[in-house]
Amino acid sequence: MGDLQLRSDFCHCLYAGHTTGLSLNNERLYKLTYSTEVFLDRGKGKLQDSVGYRVSFNVDVVLLWRSPDGDDDQLIQITIKDVNVENVNQQRGEKSIFKGKKPPQIIRKENLEALQRPVLLHLIHGKVKEFYSYQNEPIAIENLKRGLASLFQMQLSSGTTNEVDISGDCKVTYQAHQDKVTKIKALDSCKIERSGFTTPNQVLGVTLKATSVTTYKIEDSFVVAVLAEEIRALRLNFLQTVAGKIVSKQKLELKTTEAGPRLLPGKQVAAIIKAVDSKYVAIPIMGQVFQSECKGCLSLSEHWQSIRTHLQPDNLSKAEAVRSFLTFVQHLRTAKKEEILQILKAEKKEVLPQLVDAVTSAQTPDSLDAILDFLDFKSDSSIILQERFLYACGFASHPDEELLRALISKFKGSFGSNDIRETVMIIIGALVRKLCQNEGCKLKAVVEAKKLILGGLEKPEKKEDTMMYLLALKNALFPEGIPLLLKYAEAGEGPVSHLATTTLQRYGAPFITDEVKKALNRIYHQNRKVHEKTVRTTAAAVILNNNPSYMEVKNILLSIGELPKEMNKYMLSIIQDILRFEIPASKMVRRVLKEMIAHNYDRFAKTGSSSAYTGYIERSPHSASTYSLDILYSGSGILRRSNLNIFQYLGEAALHGSQVVIEAQGLEALIAATPDEGEENLDSYAGMSAILFDVQLRPVTFFSGYSDLMSKMLSASGDPVSVVKGLILLIDHSQELQLQSGLKANMEVQGGLAIDISGSMEFSLWYRESKTRVKNRVAVVISGDITVDSAFVKAGLEISAETEAGLEFISTVQFSQYPFLVCLQMDRDAAPYRQFETKYERLSTGRGYVSRKRKESLIAGSEFPLHQENSEMCKAVFAPPPESSSSGWF
C-alpha cells in the first residue's frame, strides 16, 4: 500500500502541473545504490586513455517527518553504507592503486566513520530548505554527502528557476516528459566563492566549456533512477594541444523498499531535528573549500635551492629555466612575506634578478609586500633589480588595485635613478590599461593614475617629463588623452611629435575619429608646419589603417612624387604592401587607383631603398602570426627608422607580441650630406624603443649629441645593447571548481618565457656603411594541469610544451652611391619543440600510478622575405669590415 501511495503522489505531482518535487511515502525505508565516478583525459573521450576513480555505496533513505500543514514540507534522513573505491579504468589491473586495499585503508577510518554518519535534508516543494550534519566533520567528506543530497532536489514541471545546491546558486531549466525529467544546470551562472583568475587577452587566454545534465527516470509514475553528468573542458586558445577534460558522473538507483520507522509527530521541524539528535547543525548545501595535505613537500627555501642553478644567467636560454620559474611562482603563491624576504636577502647578485622576476610574478599580497620591502628606490645600486620588478609588474597577468596604488606611492617619492622614475610612470600606464580591461576603470587608484598622467601632459613640471608621460599614455590608451596627443602631435618638437603620433597609432579604430584624422592629415600634408619624415609617415599609417575615406587615400597617393626621395619610396612601399597583404584599406586604395591621375608610371616608378613589407610567420585556420618591417632612410642613405613588428591573431583578437624600433637622426654631418627638409637642425641621436606583449618599455639610447656620438665611434665594440631581459609569466589561468558530485577540481595553465631582446647600430665612415641588428632569443614553456581531488585519492593530467627559439633581423646599407645598396635579412633559427603528457592517480597514503609520454620534433629554421630589391647585394658585398678598422664602428 505504501508503494502505491508513493506512485499516486508522484502521478498527482507530475500531471497536475505543480512545482512539487520528490515526495516520499510514510513509514517506508528506501534502499538505493549510488556511485560517482570521474575521469580525466585530453578531450578524446577514450576511457582507456583516461585516469580517474569511482566511489560507490549503498544508501538508505527514510521520511522522518511531514508537516501537518502540507505534504510538500518533508524531513528526510540519508544514510551511507558499504563504501567502496575503485578505478574507473578497469584495464589498470595489477597497476591499480586500490588493489589489495580495503575502504578504511583508502579513505582512512575516521573519514569512513564520518561518511557513514546520517545527514538530514529538509525539503519544501522539492527544494532544499536546510541541510543538517554534524559539526567538525572533514569538509571533503561533507562535500560527498552534499553531492548525494543535491540529487534529491527537483521539480516535476517544466520551467526555469534558480536553485541552491552543492554547485552554488545556479540557474536551472527543467524539461518534463512522461518518462523522465531533465534538469539542465547553467554552470557559468553559479554563484559560489572560489579562488581563480585568468589572462584577459583572448590570444593568451583559455576557452572553457561546462555542462551539467541530470535526468530523473520515471516508470509507472515512479522515479526509479537519477543520472547526472557534468563536463568541464579547457583549451588554450593559441596552442590547442594544451587541452583537457573532466567528466564527472553520478548514478542513484532505487533497488527496493521496506517497512520503515513511523513519522515523528510535531509541527516544527527544529523540534524534530533536536529529537533525532541534538548534535545536528544546519550547514550550507553549497560545497565548501578544503585543502589536501602535502606530504613530503619541500619548503620554499628548499625548493629555491633545488632550482636556483637553472636560473643562472648562462642557463636562461634553456626551457628548464622557464619550467623552474613556473613551478617556483606556484610555490610563492602559498608563501608568507617573511619566507620570501628571507630568500631575497640571502641570494647572490647573479641570480637575484631572476628571483625578483618570480616573486613579482606571484602577484600575491605577501609577495608584493616582500619585494617592496626588499627594493630601495632611493638607491642607484640596485637599478637592474628595480627595473626587473617594474617590467614584471607591467607584464602582470592579473594585476590588482593594490599594485597600482603601490607604484603611484613610489612615483611620488624620491629616486636614485631618473631612468627608474620614468619606468615607474610608464608601467603605471600599463597597469591602468590592464585594470580597465578587467572592468576596473572606476577604481580609485586608476582614477588617480589617469589624473597623474593627464596632469603631467597638461602642465609638466620639467620639459623632459613630457616624453615620460606620453610613454605612460602609450601604455594606458585611455580616450581622455587623445586631445592632448593631438596637441603634441601637431605642435610638438620632433621627438615629442613622433611619440604622440605613434601613441595614436596604438588606439583602436573607434577612437580614430574624423577630428583625429583631420589633425593627422594636416600633419602629413604639412598644412600648418613642417614635420619630420618619421612623424609624417606615422600619421599616414594611422589614416590608412583606420577606415580611410576616398579623398584621404587619393590625397596620400597624389602626394607621392612631391615628397623627399626616400619618403616617396617609403610611401609607395606602404601602398604596395596594403594591396599585396590585403590589409582592410586595400579595397579603398584599389578604388582610388582606378583614377589615372593617382595611378600612373611616374608615381609608381619612384626609386629608393626605403621599404615596407608584411608577411606570415605561421598561419592556420584559427590563428595567424605576422611580421612586418618598414625601413625609412634619409636622402643621404643613413637609417632614419626601422620598425619590426610581430603580431599574433586569434579570430578577432590580437596581441602585439613585439615591436623593436631603431631610430637615428642628425648624422648627415658625418658624411657631409644635406639633411632633408625639416630636419636641418636635429641633434645627433640613435636609440631603440620596444613594445613587448602590448607593453611599451622605456626606450634605450645608443648615443645622444655629437660629442657622445664621437666618443662611441672611437671606443665602442659593436656589442648589442639589451632592451629587455628576464623571465615573464605570460599565460596565467587558475580555476578551482566545485563538481556537483562533491569532488574538488582544479584547472591551471601557466606559460612563461625567458627573453632577451637586444639591438645595435654600427656605422663606418671608412666603408660608408651602416648596419642595424635586432636579436630576439626566447625559451618558452606552457604547462596545463588538471586535477580532481577527494582528499583521499587524487587524479591528475599534466600537459606541457616547450621550445627554444631565436629570431634575428639585420639591415645593412652602403651609401657610397645612390641609389644606395641595401641588404635586409630576417632569419629564424631551427627550434626544438617538445611535448609532454603525464597522467596519474595517487592515494593520500602515497601509493600512485603514473603514465608519461613525450614527443619531440624540430621546427626548421627559415628566412623571411623582406621585399629587398637589391637582394643580390646580400651575397657578397656586406661582409663585416676587417678587425684593423674596428675603431670606425660603434
Side-chain angles (χ1 to χ4, degrees):
M1 287 294 294
D3 288 351
L4 290 173
Q5 179 63 48
L6 179 63
R7 289 178 182 141
S8 175
D9 286 347
F10 268 69
C11 183
H12 173 76
C13 294
L14 185 59
Y15 296 115
H18 294 173
T19 58
T20 310
L22 289 170
S23 179
L24 276 69
N25 273 345
N26 303 347
E27 301 176 12
R28 302 300 296 173
L29 169 65
Y30 297 89
K31 289 191 167 290
L32 307 100
T33 60
Y34 173 80
S35 66
T36 179
E37 62 184 35
V38 62
F39 55 90
L40 295 79
D41 63 22
R42 295 182 66 175
K44 298 174 183 177
K46 295 180 180 178
L47 185 61
Q48 64 270 24
D49 292 335
S50 67
V51 287
Y53 46 90
R54 179 185 295 111
V55 181
S56 58
F57 38 76
N58 293 323
V59 181
D60 288 353
V61 180
V62 295
L63 178 67
L64 295 180
W65 171 84
R66 192 190 303 276
S67 171
D69 299 328
D71 289 350
D72 288 331
D73 189 349
Q74 310 167 85
L75 182 70
I76 65 174
Q77 183 183 66
I78 303 171
T79 307
I80 292 169
K81 297 179 176 180
D82 308 321
V83 180
N84 189 39
V85 187
E86 59 189 333
N87 278 109
V88 73
N89 187 343
Q90 296 300 323
Q91 296 181 1
R92 196 75 75 233
E94 293 294 320
K95 294 181 180 180
S96 171
I97 60 173
F98 305 112
K99 186 174 177 60
K101 288 189 175 288
K102 296 179 179 179
Q105 295 172 295
I106 298 169
I107 302 175
R108 293 182 182 176
K109 184 180 177 182
E110 61 274 19
N111 286 342
L112 189 58
E113 289 174 355
L115 186 60
Q116 295 180 144
R117 280 195 282 270
V119 295
L120 306 181
L121 197 61
H122 184 196
L123 295 171
I124 298 180
H125 298 300
K127 303 301 171 75
V128 175
K129 175 68 175 173
E130 291 288 357
F131 176 68
Y132 297 91
S133 186
Y134 293 96
Q135 279 187 324
N136 303 319
E137 285 192 341
I139 294 173
I141 298 301
E142 281 188 336
N143 281 351
L144 286 174
K145 296 181 185 180
R146 289 182 173 103
L148 168 61
S150 292
L151 293 179
F152 287 82
Q153 178 166 247
M154 70 167 293
Q155 70 183 44
L156 292 167
S157 61
S158 298
T160 298
T161 185
N162 267 61
E163 286 184 355
V164 178
D165 65 6
I166 186 168
S167 304
D169 187 345
C170 309
K171 180 181 177 182
V172 295
T173 300
Y174 284 92
Q175 298 171 351
H177 306 275
Q178 187 171 353
D179 60 345
K180 66 180 179 180
V181 173
T182 302
K183 177 164 71 172
I184 301 168
K185 187 188 300 180
L187 291 172
D188 56 355
S189 73
C190 293
K191 296 180 178 67
I192 186 169
E193 285 191 18
R194 287 293 183 272
S195 61
F197 45 80
T198 193
T199 306
N201 187 289
Q202 276 299 299
V203 175
L204 301 174
V206 300
T207 295
L208 302 169
K209 290 186 179 178
T211 60
S212 167
V213 179
T214 303
T215 302
Y216 294 82
K217 288 191 174 181
I218 299 172
E219 291 181 7
D220 299 327
S221 305
F222 191 75
V223 175
V224 295
V226 184
L227 304 173
E229 182 175 86
E230 177 179 10
I231 298 175
R232 304 275 190 162
L234 171 147
R235 186 186 73 241
L236 184 61
N237 289 338
F238 86 92
L239 186 62
Q240 298 193 3
T241 55
V242 177
K245 184 172 74 173
I246 299 169
V247 178
S248 174
K249 296 182 179 182
Q250 293 170 274
K251 185 177 183 180
L252 181 64
E253 285 187 297
L254 177 66
K255 292 302 181 185
T256 185
T257 62
E258 300 175 0
R262 290 178 175 273
L263 289 184
L264 297 173
K267 289 189 175 182
Q268 300 297 324
V269 71
I272 302 299
I273 292 165
K274 190 173 182 180
V276 175
D277 192 336
S278 61
K279 293 181 181 177
Y280 274 118
V281 293
I283 62 173
I285 189 74
M286 283 189 191
Q288 302 297 300
V289 177
F290 70 89
Q291 298 295 332
S292 297
E293 293 179 32
C294 188
K295 291 188 175 182
C297 290
L298 298 175
S299 68
L300 187 72
S301 178
E302 290 169 336
H303 188 172
W304 173 246
Q305 290 304 319
S306 71
I307 65 164
R308 67 181 300 279
T309 305
H310 300 311
L311 298 180
Q312 292 282 349
D314 292 344
N315 294 332
L316 288 183
S317 60
K318 299 175 184 174
E320 185 62 42
V322 186
R323 192 175 291 279
S324 298
F325 164 72
L326 292 177
T327 59
F328 194 60
V329 167
Q330 292 285 65
H331 200 156
L332 282 162
R333 286 176 170 167
T334 63
K336 298 296 182 186
K337 172 185 173 180
E338 293 72 21
E339 297 176 272
I340 300 170
L341 203 51
Q342 185 179 1
I343 295 174
L344 284 165
K345 289 179 177 178
E347 192 46 68
K348 294 179 182 178
K349 185 178 178 181
E350 64 271 13
V351 188
L352 205 44
Q354 289 74 262
L355 179 56
V356 169
D357 289 338
V359 171
T360 312
S361 298
Q363 300 172 73
T364 65
D366 282 277
S367 64
L368 178 60
D369 286 347
I371 196 69
L372 289 175
D373 275 10
F374 177 70
L375 296 174
D376 181 9
F377 285 85
K378 295 177 183 177
S379 169
D380 63 355
S381 61
S382 59
I383 288 176
I384 292 176
L385 301 181
Q386 294 169 36
E387 189 174 66
R388 293 282 277 265
F389 160 71
L390 291 169
Y391 284 152
C393 290
F395 297 128
S397 55
H398 55 281
D400 59 11
E401 187 182 12
E402 193 56 43
L403 176 58
L404 178 57
R405 195 180 290 118
L407 291 193
I408 291 172
S409 175
K410 289 295 178 188
F411 182 76
K412 292 177 179 178
S414 55
F415 290 87
S417 163
N418 190 58
D419 286 351
I420 294 299
R421 175 177 175 268
E422 290 178 0
T423 306
V424 169
M425 176 47 64
I426 293 166
I427 298 305
I428 284 173
L431 293 179
V432 166
R433 187 183 183 203
K434 290 194 174 190
L435 288 168
C436 281
Q437 286 173 334
N438 210 23
E439 300 180 352
C441 256
K442 294 181 180 179
L443 295 171
K444 287 183 179 179
V446 173
V447 173
E448 184 181 355
K450 285 184 176 182
K451 287 181 179 177
L452 204 57
I453 295 169
L454 292 174
L457 288 172
E458 287 167 353
K459 294 180 181 178
E461 292 180 13
K462 296 180 287 185
K463 188 178 179 181
E464 51 269 29
D465 280 353
T466 302
M467 298 287 281
M468 173 184 73
Y469 288 113
L470 284 172
L471 287 164
L473 185 54
K474 193 172 182 180
N475 272 331
L477 296 179
F478 48 81
E480 302 95 311
I482 290 177
L484 285 166
L485 288 174
L486 293 177
K487 183 186 86 171
Y488 280 111
E490 222 174 338
E493 298 297 322
V496 170
S497 177
H498 184 223
L499 180 53
T501 315
T502 58
T503 302
L504 284 167
Q505 196 172 19
R506 297 200 70 205
Y507 279 84
F511 300 106
I512 307 302
T513 61
D514 289 342
E515 182 186 353
V516 173
K517 284 205 242 180
K518 283 177 184 176
L520 293 169
N521 275 293
R522 288 195 298 269
I523 291 169
Y524 178 74
H525 295 291
Q526 302 190 117
N527 297 135
R528 292 183 178 174
K529 63 173 283 190
V530 174
H531 292 277
E532 295 177 25
K533 292 193 298 293
T534 52
V535 180
R536 296 179 69 189
T537 52
T538 304
V542 179
I543 295 166
L544 291 170
N545 285 326
N546 289 279
N547 305 314
S549 68
Y550 187 91
M551 286 309 298
E552 283 171 340
V553 173
K554 183 176 179 179
N555 286 335
I556 287 174
L557 281 169
L558 291 177
S559 71
I560 298 174
E562 309 299 326
L563 306 170
K565 274 186 181 180
E566 284 298 322
M567 189 174 168
N568 271 328
K569 184 60 170 61
Y570 179 87
M571 289 306 302
L572 184 59
S573 294
I574 289 288
I575 296 296
Q576 290 169 333
D577 193 46
I578 288 172
L579 295 171
R580 186 189 58 80
F581 201 68
E582 293 293 335
I583 291 168
S586 60
K587 291 181 180 178
M588 186 61 74
V589 172
R590 285 192 170 90
R591 274 186 62 195
V592 175
L593 288 177
K594 290 178 181 178
E595 288 194 45
M596 188 61 70
I597 191 172
H599 189 192
N600 57 61
Y601 177 80
D602 180 61
R603 203 175 304 286
F604 276 75
K606 298 300 179 185
T607 59
S609 298
S610 298
S611 65
Y613 190 86
T614 304
Y616 287 105
I617 297 175
E618 301 286 351
R619 193 178 186 184
S620 70
H622 80 285
S623 67
S625 181
T626 67
Y627 69 94
S628 65
L629 173 69
D630 59 86
I631 297 186
L632 175 64
Y633 293 99
S634 69
S636 55
I638 296 175
L639 175 75
R640 194 68 177 82
R641 182 187 65 206
S642 75
N643 184 357
L644 176 63
N645 288 277
I646 295 176
F647 280 88
Q648 179 72 41
Y649 295 96
L650 191 76
E652 296 296 316
L655 173 70
H656 199 168
S658 71
Q659 178 191 70
V660 180
V661 179
I662 294 181
E663 292 184 78
Q665 65 179 40
L667 302 183
E668 284 78 9
L670 291 173
I671 57 172
T674 303
D676 292 338
E677 181 191 15
E679 302 181 356
E680 296 86 355
N681 300 315
L682 297 180
D683 291 332
S684 299
Y685 167 84
M688 182 162 55
S689 173
I691 291 173
L692 188 60
F693 304 116
D694 270 335
V695 177
Q696 169 70 53
L697 310 181
R698 187 179 61 80
V700 174
T701 299
F702 296 149
F703 63 81
S704 181
Y706 189 77
S707 58
D708 190 24
L709 164 62
M710 295 311 294
S711 66
K712 294 280 174 62
M713 286 184 67
L714 295 172
S715 63
S717 61
D719 291 338
V721 176
S722 179
V723 181
V724 62
K725 186 175 186 176
L727 292 156
I728 300 173
L729 181 62
L730 193 59
I731 298 166
D732 199 12
H733 175 87
S734 179
Q735 187 178 22
E736 187 175 317
L737 303 170
Q738 177 61 64
L739 300 182
Q740 61 191 30
S741 62
L743 303 174
K744 180 183 79 168
N746 286 81
M747 288 183 160
E748 297 189 345
V749 181
Q750 270 77 42
L753 73 160
I755 190 162
D756 185 358
I757 297 180
S758 59
S760 63
M761 182 175 179
E762 302 168 352
F763 191 84
S764 172
L765 289 177
W766 183 261
Y767 288 91
R768 297 180 74 81
E769 185 172 291
S770 69
K771 180 180 289 189
T772 58
R773 184 188 302 263
V774 176
K775 191 168 187 177
N776 296 324
R777 290 290 307 169
V778 294
V780 184
V781 174
I782 297 168
S783 177
D785 187 12
I786 300 174
T787 60
V788 177
D789 194 358
S790 65
F792 51 86
V793 59
K794 185 176 185 178
L797 169 66
E798 297 172 359
I799 318 109
S800 64
E802 64 184 38
T803 187
E804 295 134 6
L807 186 69
E808 186 170 24
F809 160 70
I810 303 170
S811 72
T812 312
V813 183
Q814 278 194 353
F815 45 87
S816 56
Q817 57 182 304
Y818 192 87
F820 28 84
L821 305 179
V822 179
C823 172
L824 305 178
Q825 300 164 271
M826 192 165 83
D827 303 321
R828 182 177 66 186
D829 299 340
Y833 181 66
R834 297 178 286 268
Q835 293 175 281
F836 304 91
E837 179 189 283
T838 302
K839 295 178 289 189
Y840 64 88
E841 296 159 351
R842 187 179 302 127
L843 293 174
S844 60
T845 55
R847 185 174 178 179
Y849 161 82
V850 181
S851 168
R852 292 187 175 91
K853 293 180 181 178
R854 174 186 174 124
K855 185 179 179 182
E856 190 165 348
S857 58
L858 185 68
I859 301 172
S862 56
E863 295 181 3
F864 296 97
L866 295 172
H867 193 52
Q868 47 197 33
E869 295 176 354
N870 298 313
S871 58
E872 69 277 3
M873 293 296 102
C874 293
K875 297 177 182 177
V877 173
F878 297 123
E883 291 183 13
S884 59
S885 62
S886 61
S887 62
W889 293 78
F890 66 87

